[in-house]
Amino acid sequence: MLNTAYTIREKRRACGYTQERLAQALGLTPAAVSKWETGQTLPDVTMLCPLAEALCTTTDELLGFNPDVSEERAEELLQPGRDALVQVDFSNATKLGEKAVQLHPASATLAFAAASLFMEIAQAAQEAVATSNPAECPPQESVARPALARSIELFEVCRQDGSLEQREAAAFVLAGQYVLAGDHDRALEAARSIHVPQADPRIMEAAALAASDKLDEAEIISRHALKEKENDASALQDILSGIQKKRNDQ
């Protein structure tokens, strides 16, 4: 109750309202607003939406509800899916991953962790198709592609609704995923949206350019980045090798 009282008071002040003005906007008495702000009473449920609108906030924030979950809780919810993946049970891993997401659909932290799981499912399915007899495993399209698409969808949720760290990390991963999906324009857009990268976004930008046959531009970016960042030399060298291979094939 005290958290709600504090939130109402601070939001009112942030909006530049007096208790009298807020009360007038809601058709109440100043005494009612005062009781909310001192924790004597809570707003009636019928007043939550009008109050949130008046204070430019949400009912969740007014009541102190956080739709997100911790990283530890997210991993706990997804562990059954990871266990199924270890058993190479792609179908069950996918179902369990979706089940976990539905428990907290507004959690960016869970969405990020689930996106990582679906990315692992897609990678494992592709490897299974490449190393197994086609008769012994499901077609790649039935597992890998939907899993990659779902991973992209969830990472995009993080890029829109997550914390700054989650948005930046999601953009970096998405740049690579869009290259795999053959969507080079979105790969470039994701790479160029990174503002505080943990890794140089030019790596993903160069990869996307090379994948779309813009070889000269990709080479310039790669060579400039290669001079500045020795830690990323291996990834950039791979891109340059791919550029040279494409030129040789042309």
Side-chain angles (χ1 to χ4, degrees), residues 222-241:
S222 297
R223 291 196 182 281
H224 285 174
L226 196 56
K227 290 179 181 178
E228 297 175 15
K229 273 209 156 188
E230 294 183 358
N231 290 340
D232 291 327
S234 177
L236 290 165
Q237 191 61 54
D238 288 342
I239 294 170
L240 289 170
S241 297

Side-chain angles (χ1 to χ4, degrees), residues 23-51:
Q24 184 179 19
L26 297 172
L28 301 172
T29 64
V33 175
S34 177
K35 288 181 179 180
W36 294 345
E37 294 187 358
T38 55
Q40 297 178 53
T41 61
L42 283 172
D44 185 84
V45 65
T46 60
M47 292 303 304
L48 287 177
C49 287
L51 177 59

Side-chain angles (χ1 to χ4, degrees), residues 56-102:
C56 301
T57 186
T58 65
T59 54
D60 283 349
E61 187 172 3
L62 280 180
L63 297 175
F65 174 70
N66 183 0
D68 208 356
V69 299
S70 66
E71 292 182 7
E72 292 76 12
R73 178 57 177 160
E75 290 302 327
E76 178 184 337
L77 291 170
L78 290 167
Q79 190 57 51
R82 295 195 184 282
D83 292 341
L85 180 58
V86 170
Q87 300 299 319
V88 199
D89 188 346
F90 301 137
S91 177
N92 200 31
T94 299
K95 291 178 182 178
L96 290 169
E98 289 290 359
K99 181 179 178 181
V101 171
Q102 294 307 313

Side-chain angles (χ1 to χ4, degrees), residues 141-161:
E141 292 81 1
S142 69
V143 178
R145 290 182 183 178
L148 178 61
R150 183 58 169 145
S151 179
I152 288 174
E153 182 181 3
L154 289 169
F155 274 128
E156 283 289 7
V157 170
C158 297
R159 193 152 73 115
Q160 296 298 320
D161 302 331

Side-chain angles (χ1 to χ4, degrees), residues 1-23 26 29-43 51 55 62:
M1 183 179 291
L2 291 179
N3 286 340
T4 300
Y6 175 82
T7 301
I8 293 173
R9 183 175 69 251
E10 293 305 307
K11 290 292 182 181
R12 174 181 61 76
R13 290 174 176 173
C15 290
Y17 296 158
T18 61
Q19 289 184 344
E20 289 76 11
R21 183 177 175 185
L22 178 59
L26 297 172
T29 64
V33 175
S34 177
K35 288 181 179 180
W36 294 345
E37 294 187 358
T38 55
Q40 297 178 53
T41 61
L42 283 172
L51 177 59
L55 297 179
L62 280 180

